[in-house]
Amino acid sequence: MGRYIIRRIVVAMPSLAIVTVLIAGLLRLQPGDVVMARLSESGYLTQEDVDEMRRELGLDKSFPEQYVDWVTGVFQGDLGVSLWTGRDVLETLATRSRVSIQLAIMSMVVAICTAIPLGIISAVKQDSWMDYIARLFSITGLSVPDFFLATMLLYVLSVWVGWLPDFGYTPPWEDPWANMQAFVFPALIVGYRLSAITARMTRSAMLEVLRQDYVRTARAKGLVERIVIFKHALRNALIPVITIIGSQLTFLLGGLVIIEVVFSLPGVGTLGFEAIQVRDYPVVQGVVFFTAILFITSNLLVDLSYAIIDPRIRYS
Amino acid sequence: MASAARVEDTTFSDLAARQRHPAVDATIKIVKSPVGAGSGVVILILIAVALSAPYVSPFDPQAISRDKFVAPGVEGHWLGSDGIGRDILTRIMYGARISLYVGFLTVGFGTLAGAVIGLFSGFAGGWIDLVIQRVVDAIQSFPAILLAMAIVSVIGPSTTNGVLAIALIVAVNNSRVIRGAVLSVKENTYIEAARSIGASPLRVMMQHILPNVVAPILILVSAGFGSAILIEGALSFLGLATQPPDASWGLMLSRGRESIETSPWLALFPGLAIAVTVLSFNLLGDVVRDVLDPRLRGSR
């Protein structure tokens, strides 16, 4: 098991290297750099001023040199400082990821609590009106853009209900109520889309499992339907369901740019969005590194969870 | 006598059915299902609207007028007008052109490139496959929307550049699925047989493997439209794809947010347009999947 985990981490290293080089290289192709973006606000400047600032920020070096510097830093636990704000990238990521992690967890709770029951009902009562309603609910979730749902939700709250939650991030330990207000609506919207994906997978996995011989055997030996479905069928249907939830993790932790913008939540997605726009290389690199590590970890955790669900699966 | 004739009839029509091309069979099944027919009709209407927008739209999409923030149904503006007096219905009709352009181009390029990469990677195997798959891993480990932003920030924001960015990501994701299908097809005896009679690798790939991975490719095609239109909407919403004054639904929705409390229709109608379009493509995609791969019913 330990050896398996180490091997997986070693195998993932090349991908980590590729994605960091790829994104860093891509951003170097952008016209202009952070110096131009920063100085564009400060009026008349000589070429010397620009060169001076480039040298200070280490941008006068070639791209390979900059990349080697960055990698050396990573091994020393140093992700550099933002070229835009001067703040430590690791610290910024730590602060921003608190928001993203809370939003991801709450969305996943929303999704799992709706998707698994919906998927089960849909599969058990296949082709009934309940199945059709559940499927319509899911496919609508895949089709309605989250930014549209968010816009309309804010409209309904402000105009019809006459109340808007306190937006912006408050840490839960400072003011749990304000924190909940800021998170519950985005979590519902993100959770709905995630639940749509999960419910469809649960339904099809359950349909497949319910046709298996061992389910017929369980029924034949007189087990109550509840036990057949939850103990015998659901457990075997969980593997694809967990895989699909796991595959959404990088999206949940780094891709919720629009939801974070609309609900003014300072998460990792907006951090990446802003950094790309001002060409703040160290911050973009930090975000790439963060999401890539998460991608690798979540894939590993998903695979390891298979062994818990299905004792026949062993890793060595 | 009568019964004998009927027997002959059935045999004949059975024969006709058996001789029908599988593609024709699949199309008939798709059109016969109520969901498939319904969503197909919506999509056809959408295409018709997009093509005929310059002839049937009630106004000019860019024409600024004094009728600012007109409510739906007033003064000939069926869906109202925006802050500089442009007709919403007209702009939604023109927006359909952009959405469909994005959908077709993304799916076309994404499928073609994805199929080429997937076929090649799966068929070549060995270290070539290993290297390609590590690159695919790397690209998939970064949130798609951020990657699209990074690409657009290099090549500049426009509808076509947005399409390029989305298509690249779609191609990468599709290539993984197609490679998986190629790997399983490759193990069949008929591939070994083709090789043993001296068919060239290219011939094996094009004549024997490709036809057998057409079903997953078609499923990717039908599921791709909806997500392409959604991502273009998201990019335009953030100002990274279609630029004003062009009428993209995502852009209209984003602008409509500014006056949402007084004129909600500015955001409502473009949002509904995206939702209905994507829903139709997704429903049609589900039917196509059910017909082509009954094993995958209802999954995604």
Side-chain angles (χ1 to χ4, degrees):
Chain A
M1 180 84 156
R3 280 188 60 188
Y4 173 77
I5 294 175
I6 291 169
R7 202 172 66 222
R8 281 288 299 263
I9 292 173
V10 171
V11 169
M13 283 300 149
S15 295
L16 196 59
I18 295 170
V19 72
T20 49
V21 171
L22 209 69
I23 303 289
L26 188 65
L27 289 180
R28 297 304 193 284
L29 296 175
Q30 279 179 319
D33 62 12
V34 72
V35 174
M36 300 316 283
R38 260 170 81 163
L39 296 182
S40 64
E41 284 151 19
S42 46
Y44 182 77
L45 280 157
T46 57
Q47 186 59 42
E48 280 91 72
D49 292 335
V50 175
D51 290 343
E52 171 64 31
M53 194 162 184
R54 287 223 171 96
R55 211 165 19 251
E56 253 171 53
L57 297 172
L59 291 173
D60 54 335
K61 292 182 184 169
S62 69
F63 169 51
E65 278 177 310
Q66 289 182 36
Y67 187 77
V68 169
D69 284 353
W70 181 78
V71 173
T72 325
V74 169
F75 279 108
Q76 294 161 349
D78 174 18
L79 290 180
V81 292
S82 160
L83 301 180
W84 187 253
T85 60
R87 285 204 203 103
D88 188 67
V89 174
L90 194 62
E91 246 167 60
T92 314
L93 267 177
T95 325
R96 294 292 195 114
S97 61
R98 279 211 299 261
V99 178
S100 290
I101 290 169
Q102 189 183 350
L103 184 55
I105 292 176
M106 286 179 65
S107 313
M108 274 164 96
V109 170
V110 170
I112 292 168
C113 290
T114 51
I116 308 267
L118 275 181
I120 294 175
I121 293 172
S122 218
V124 174
K125 309 265 179 209
Q126 191 188 359
D127 293 328
S128 69
W129 60 271
M130 280 191 277
D131 179 24
Y132 288 132
I133 289 178
R135 285 167 72 184
L136 191 66
F137 178 79
S138 304
I139 200 152
T140 309
L142 287 180
S143 310
V144 181
D146 49 3
F147 46 92
F148 179 51
L149 273 184
T151 308
M152 285 299 134
L153 183 72
L154 289 181
Y155 172 73
V156 167
L157 282 179
S158 74
V159 176
W160 292 0
V161 184
W163 171 84
L164 271 182
D166 289 335
F167 285 125
Y169 178 67
T170 321
W173 52 88
E174 270 174 27
D175 185 350
W177 172 236
N179 176 272
M180 266 303 135
Q181 277 184 43
F183 275 96
V184 71
F185 296 106
L188 281 175
I189 291 175
V190 178
Y192 178 33
R193 187 176 170 80
L194 186 63
S195 87
I197 302 169
T198 317
R200 283 158 67 89
M201 189 46 99
T202 310
R203 176 178 184 272
S204 69
M206 281 295 283
L207 279 179
E208 180 113 22
V209 168
L210 284 173
R211 279 189 221 119
Q212 302 292 321
D213 287 340
Y214 54 79
V215 169
R216 195 182 310 129
T217 312
R219 283 195 179 127
K221 71 178 182 184
L223 284 182
V224 221
E225 191 64 14
R226 187 168 46 86
I227 296 195
V228 175
I229 288 168
F230 288 97
K231 231 180 142 186
H232 294 247
L234 182 61
R235 189 166 178 151
N236 283 293
L238 274 182
I239 282 192
V241 174
I242 287 182
T243 313
I244 206 152
I245 295 178
S247 74
Q248 297 292 316
L249 215 64
T250 39
F251 164 71
L252 286 178
L253 287 165
L256 298 177
V257 182
I258 291 184
I259 289 294
E260 288 174 11
V261 167
V262 173
F263 289 97
S264 358
L265 286 173
V268 177
T270 38
L271 180 68
F273 174 48
E274 291 154 2
I276 288 172
Q277 289 193 318
V278 296
R279 300 152 176 83
D280 193 345
Y281 304 142
V283 174
V284 178
Q285 273 303 53
V287 173
V288 174
F289 190 65
F290 173 79
T291 55
I293 294 270
L294 275 170
F295 178 76
I296 293 163
T297 326
S298 63
N299 279 350
L300 185 61
L301 286 179
V302 164
D303 285 354
L304 291 179
S305 74
Y306 293 168
I308 299 171
I309 299 166
D310 186 343
R312 287 171 304 179
I313 299 175
R314 272 180 222 290
Y315 296 109
S316 53
Chain B
M1 234 344 230
S3 76
R6 203 157 59 224
V7 168
E8 250 169 47
D9 274 359
T10 15
T11 336
F12 182 71
S13 68
D14 271 2
L15 211 63
R18 237 176 278 137
Q19 281 173 343
R20 263 205 310 256
H21 194 273
V24 178
D25 252 7
T27 315
I28 291 175
K29 269 191 205 152
I30 291 166
V31 175
K32 270 193 178 167
S33 88
V35 176
S39 49
V41 166
V42 174
I43 291 166
L44 286 179
I45 292 175
L46 206 73
I47 294 174
V49 166
L51 291 177
S52 62
Y55 312 104
V56 299
S57 66
F59 292 87
D60 178 325
Q62 319 295 7
I64 297 169
S65 77
R66 263 180 290 170
D67 302 338
K68 290 171 190 165
F69 295 117
V70 170
V74 178
E75 293 179 40
H77 295 291
W78 287 8
L79 301 182
S81 74
D82 69 7
I84 49 175
R86 293 177 300 192
D87 182 53
I88 301 287
L89 175 65
T90 304
R91 291 180 65 75
I92 285 184
M93 291 169 110
Y94 275 84
R97 296 165 82 97
I98 292 184
S99 282
L100 290 177
Y101 169 77
V102 169
F104 279 104
L105 228 62
T106 309
V107 169
F109 178 77
T111 313
L112 197 69
V116 170
I117 303 170
L119 268 173
F120 182 67
S121 182
F123 185 71
W127 66 269
I128 297 178
D129 183 45
L130 193 77
V131 169
I132 295 179
Q133 291 315 307
R134 293 295 76 74
V135 175
V136 171
D137 271 346
I139 293 175
Q140 286 187 331
S141 73
F142 194 52
I145 186 100
L146 287 182
L147 182 59
M149 282 173 188
I151 297 172
V152 167
S153 76
V154 173
I155 56 182
S158 75
T159 309
T160 307
N161 287 352
V163 166
L164 271 176
I166 305 167
L168 189 82
I169 294 162
V170 169
V172 168
N173 293 339
N174 284 355
S175 78
R176 170 93 6 130
V177 179
I178 293 166
R179 169 187 172 262
V182 170
L183 287 185
S184 75
V185 168
K186 216 168 85 170
E187 296 308 314
N188 285 310
T189 333
Y190 56 80
I191 301 298
E192 207 184 325
R195 277 206 182 120
S196 66
I197 58 168
S200 70
L202 189 69
R203 192 184 162 83
V204 173
M205 193 153 88
M206 300 312 287
Q207 295 277 326
H208 301 274
I209 292 183
L210 185 60
N212 288 295
V213 296
V214 161
I217 291 177
L218 284 179
I219 290 171
L220 290 173
V221 166
S222 58
F225 280 94
S227 42
I229 294 172
L230 276 185
I231 306 181
E232 193 276 335
L235 285 178
S236 288
F237 187 86
L238 293 168
L240 295 170
T242 305
Q243 295 298 304
D246 282 348
S248 147
W249 293 337
L251 192 62
M252 290 171 74
L253 177 50
S254 151
R255 287 294 152 93
R257 251 163 43 88
E258 289 156 16
S259 49
I260 181 88
E261 294 192 1
T262 46
S263 334
W265 57 87
L266 292 190
L268 177 67
F269 294 120
L272 281 179
I274 304 180
V276 169
T277 307
V278 177
L279 183 65
S280 308
F281 276 115
N282 281 347
L283 285 170
L284 185 67
D286 268 15
V287 176
V288 171
R289 176 189 313 253
D290 287 354
V291 168
L292 293 180
D293 191 350
R295 238 171 20 87
L296 289 172
R297 276 199 76 174
S299 74
R300 169 171 271 207

